[in-house]
Amino acid sequence: MAKPRSKRFSREDRERGYPTLIRDLLPVGLLGLAQVSLMAAFMSTVPSHIN
């Protein structure tokens, strides 16, 4: 059950919002596509921080 908007959420709850929405709302095929795109974004970001 969704929490009411008027309640203040802790930082941990706000950080879990996007992954929770992806997991709960996307069908299986789009869920895989979203995961692959997030992995690609992570993989392209890491080398730029290393160099």
Side-chain angles (χ1 to χ4, degrees):
M1 188 167 148
K3 295 179 183 179
R5 286 186 172 192
S6 61
K7 182 180 176 184
R8 303 218 19 118
F9 297 109
S10 67
R11 182 178 178 102
E12 294 82 23
D13 289 341
R14 284 184 264 153
E15 290 176 356
R16 283 186 250 162
Y18 187 69
T20 301
L21 284 174
I22 288 175
R23 184 190 66 216
D24 293 344
L25 297 179
L26 291 180
V28 174
L30 289 178
L31 178 62
L33 186 61
Q35 288 177 342
V36 168
S37 66
L38 289 173
M39 286 175 55
F42 175 73
M43 289 172 62
S44 70
T45 303
V46 169
S48 65
H49 287 288
I50 291 175
N51 290 330

